[in-house]
Amino acid sequence: MAGGAKARRLPRAVRERQMLDAAVRSFARHGYQTASMDEIAELAGVSKPLVYLYLNSKEELFTACIRREAEALLAAVAAGVEGRELPPDERLWAGLLAFFTYAAEHPDSWVVLSRQARTQGEPFATEASRMREEIAVYVAGLIGEAAREAHGAATITERDVTALAQALVGSTESLATWANETPGVTAKEAAATLMNFAWAGLGNLMKSERWSPR
């Protein structure tokens, strides 16, 4: 009996990962307010007091979920781009594809980041905004790199690059949610749709072919 109890002991990091996995699933399906700590404990295969011992409160548990899922998404996007010798358009494509693929393969995670974290007030909205800003900065770097390599790129200001990155990230988030909720839409299809929309306009801007209202 003692041996069996000892065999069931797991490292803290493993237990915490199980709790966060269960919490992400519960928060995504029920929402922050309705999600039950009893259900989270049951899904994780632990007692409710152990969840509180590790993560103190429902608020801290939700915050930990947002941070972990945001870090995983950012890492996935970076992994899709870094360490590969690609032209600027293919680097942007690789980043978009990695984003949509992650959102499609981790739908509960995406619901927590894109919907739950932003609708529950502080401090959760701040965590979601931090993730969005990190992605926007990363995308701005990709756009800036493309601009530096393009003919006439000097016509694109830093403000242009920042604005384009913000617009692209906002479009990516909205399209990822739509793709996840629309049967038959693949991550590659969604990424290609946005790439065709964004790169054509970006290419014109780099050639100083700006649209302006009459």
Side-chain angles (χ1 to χ4, degrees):
M1 202 59 186
K6 185 175 182 180
R8 286 194 297 272
R9 291 199 192 104
L10 295 173
R12 181 185 178 98
V14 175
R15 281 292 191 206
E16 192 166 318
R17 183 173 68 248
Q18 290 175 335
M19 293 176 197
L20 291 175
D21 288 344
V24 167
R25 181 180 174 188
S26 185
F27 288 136
R29 297 182 181 186
H30 305 300
Y32 172 70
Q33 298 295 338
T34 307
S36 162
M37 294 293 275
D38 288 302
E39 181 189 69
I40 291 169
E42 183 178 351
L43 288 172
V46 301
S47 67
K48 186 163 74 168
L50 189 61
V51 177
Y52 280 109
L53 178 64
Y54 276 41
L55 292 151
N56 300 316
S57 67
K58 187 177 180 181
E59 179 179 309
E60 290 192 30
L61 174 60
F62 191 44
T63 300
C65 287
I66 296 168
R67 287 176 180 168
R68 189 189 72 162
E69 302 313 301
E71 289 172 2
L73 174 58
L74 289 164
V77 173
V81 177
E82 302 305 322
R84 303 171 64 185
E85 294 296 327
L86 298 171
D89 61 330
E90 290 188 26
R91 283 174 62 80
L92 182 58
W93 160 250
L96 288 174
L97 182 59
F99 188 106
F100 283 105
T101 299
Y102 185 89
E105 292 179 351
H106 303 84
D108 288 345
S109 173
W110 182 241
V111 168
V112 167
L113 290 174
S114 66
R115 186 172 301 160
Q116 295 299 327
R118 295 177 181 179
T119 59
Q120 301 302 320
E122 297 299 341
F124 313 126
T126 295
E127 293 293 335
S129 294
R130 184 177 294 119
M131 174 205 70
R132 191 180 193 283
E133 191 56 35
E134 286 189 45
I135 293 176
V137 169
Y138 189 82
V139 170
L142 295 178
I143 294 173
E145 177 185 323
R148 285 190 296 273
E149 293 189 20
H151 177 69
T155 61
I156 299 182
T157 67
E158 196 65 32
R159 184 172 178 173
D160 286 331
V161 169
T162 300
L164 287 166
Q166 291 289 338
L168 188 56
V169 170
S171 299
T172 302
E173 292 172 341
S174 296
L175 190 56
T177 296
W178 175 82
N180 276 11
E181 295 175 352
T182 304
V185 178
T186 65
K188 187 173 183 179
E189 180 185 348
T193 297
L194 187 58
M195 186 68 188
N196 278 298
F197 176 76
W199 191 256
L202 185 59
N204 287 339
L205 187 60
M206 289 178 182
K207 292 183 289 186
S208 300
E209 296 176 4
R210 294 174 179 261
W211 178 88
S212 62
R214 292 179 181 178

